Amino acid sequence: MTLAPDLPAAGAPTDDELAALLRDPEIRQSLAVIAANAPTLAVLASMGSALLQRSPEIVDNVNGIVRDLRTQVEGPEGAGGRQIAQAISSLADLAPVAPALAARKETITGFLDSPILQPEIVEIVGHLGEAALAADQATRGRQVSPGGVFALVKRIKDPEVQETLAFLLEFATVFGRRQRSSSATPPASAR
């Protein structure tokens, strides 16, 4: 729609009012910012228009996702609702422990950041635990005699025992070295 130069649109400023507005430094500065950002504003307007054109499709997709999530959560005959209630109940059971955990936040964070949780170390500790459990099950409640010195020497020649002894000796060496170097440095609590 075009307007004739002598017929201003309803509510539009007249030439005198427009000239008065353009004399205001704030308005001139705002117009300069708008003019400088015209390409960006055009892109935003184009994106907004495209978004509005696709809005029915977007809303349908979001509704579909929400419907799928509800089906997964509620499951057959509301099973998901029971699971959510159980999860909330479990969290409520943890509430009394929260202050104690918060008081030990630095210790817990230090543990979580420590090397003890590296996958390789967790695997080694797991192997140690499995071996300890198997040895406990094999010897618990039984009268076990390792035999004399010759029986022990014979067991030491077993390749699996040799590997374990090599591990224990290397562990003792490395652990002793670390203990000695850490004893030279005062613990964090003493600093």
Side-chain angles (χ1 to χ4, degrees):
M1 159 169 114
T2 58
L3 297 175
D6 56 344
L7 298 174
T14 63
D15 286 344
D16 293 336
E17 292 171 334
L18 189 57
L21 287 172
L22 288 175
R23 282 196 281 301
D24 185 359
E26 285 184 31
I27 291 179
R28 282 197 317 262
Q29 185 178 8
S30 298
L31 287 173
V33 169
I34 290 172
N37 291 304
T40 304
L41 292 172
V43 169
L44 288 174
S46 174
M47 289 171 47
S49 176
L51 184 64
L52 287 174
Q53 288 174 355
R54 294 197 59 207
S55 63
E57 181 183 339
I58 294 170
V59 169
D60 288 343
N61 286 340
V62 170
N63 282 337
I65 291 169
V66 169
R67 197 173 22 247
D68 290 345
L69 288 173
R70 280 188 182 153
T71 302
Q72 289 175 4
V73 167
E74 293 172 1
E77 302 169 13
R82 284 192 298 275
Q83 291 171 346
I84 291 173
Q86 289 172 348
I88 291 171
S89 174
S90 296
L91 287 174
D93 292 343
L94 290 175
V97 182
L101 291 174
R104 292 170 181 83
K105 182 182 96 171
E106 289 178 17
T107 303
I108 293 168
T109 303
F111 174 73
L112 293 175
D113 292 339
S114 75
I116 193 80
L117 295 177
Q118 291 177 356
E120 299 86 3
I121 294 175
V122 170
E123 184 179 357
I124 291 169
V125 171
H127 291 312
L128 288 171
E130 289 171 345
L133 180 62
D136 181 61
Q137 290 171 344
T139 60
R140 185 178 290 233
R142 296 185 186 163
Q143 183 67 28
V144 180
S145 172
V149 173
F150 294 112
L152 288 174
V153 170
K154 183 178 178 183
R155 295 289 305 263
I156 289 174
K157 291 182 180 181
D158 181 344
E160 291 173 347
V161 173
Q162 285 181 348
E163 187 175 342
T164 303
L165 287 174
F167 171 83
L168 290 174
L169 291 172
E170 185 63 26
F171 173 80
T173 302
V174 172
F175 188 75
R177 192 177 310 128
R178 296 247 169 101
Q179 285 294 94
R180 193 171 335 114
S181 69
S182 70
S183 65
T185 307
S189 59
R191 286 184 225 166

